[in-house]
């Protein structure tokens, strides 16, 4: 009986681990490529974009006249996207292909962290 319970527990753990790996593997840094807006209709200011140029990814921010490209490093950890921009780290959740939820900001120089109520960004393109 103990052997059956131990086998059952080990089997369940293996299935859960496979599910976790599959869930994390389904998220890729390129999943954030595109233009994002704070408004669902993508009308208004506050838009930004992530683009890929060759092997590098950049964040694009516009002031209305010019676009500014900043190199970013996008990592996936525990199902969350972490975007590293210089010494800043933004943590997002991607609950759907067209939504990006900002959860946390960390300044890696000072170690200061601010947590957000999820702020939703909507994919425009």
């Amino acid at each position: 009986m103990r052997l059956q319970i131990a086998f059952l527990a080990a089997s369940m753990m293996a299935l859960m681990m496979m599910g976790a790996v599959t869930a994390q593997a389904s998220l890729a840094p390129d999943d954030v490529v595109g233009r994002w807006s704070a408004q669902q209709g993508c009308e208004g200011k506050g838009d930004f974009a992530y683009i890929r140029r060759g092997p590098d990814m950049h964040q694009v921010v516009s002031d209305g006249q010019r676009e500014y490209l900043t190199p970013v490093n996008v990592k996936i950890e525990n199902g969350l996207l972490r975007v590293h921009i210089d010494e800043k780290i933004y943590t997002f959740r991607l609950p759907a292909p067209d939504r990006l939820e900002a959860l946390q900001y960390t300044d890696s120089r000072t170690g200061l962290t601010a947590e957000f109520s999820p702020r939703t960004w909507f994919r425009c393109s």
Side-chain angles (χ1 to χ4, degrees):
M1 183 69 163
R2 277 189 184 175
L3 185 58
Q4 287 177 330
I5 292 173
F7 178 75
L8 182 61
S11 298
M12 290 177 66
M13 287 297 287
L15 287 173
M16 287 191 308
M17 292 301 288
M18 283 176 39
V21 169
T22 303
Q24 288 181 3
S26 66
L27 255 166
D30 283 339
D31 288 340
V32 299
V33 170
R35 191 167 69 92
W36 297 88
S37 176
Q39 297 173 359
Q40 198 160 11
C42 299
E43 304 153 358
K45 299 185 181 193
D47 295 359
F48 64 92
Y50 292 112
I51 63 169
R52 176 149 315 266
R53 289 222 170 137
D56 301 321
M57 191 173 285
H58 293 80
Q59 182 180 36
V60 182
V61 178
S62 174
D63 66 2
Q65 296 176 346
R66 296 186 305 203
E67 288 187 344
Y68 301 93
L69 291 172
T70 305
V72 298
N73 184 1
V74 177
K75 293 183 180 178
I76 299 168
E77 300 170 350
N78 299 323
L80 299 176
L81 292 163
R82 298 199 194 282
V83 179
H84 296 251
I85 304 174
D86 298 323
E87 68 277 346
K88 300 175 273 309
I89 303 167
Y90 296 92
T91 303
F92 296 95
R93 180 179 29 227
L94 191 67
D98 60 344
R99 286 194 352 225
L100 190 65
E101 292 179 349
L103 300 176
Q104 186 178 45
Y105 161 81
T106 302
D107 185 323
S108 61
R109 279 180 314 159
T110 63
L112 293 175
T113 297
E115 297 203 11
F116 305 115
S117 294
R119 167 142 188 206
T120 302
W121 295 89
F122 300 94
R123 186 186 299 273
C124 300
S125 60

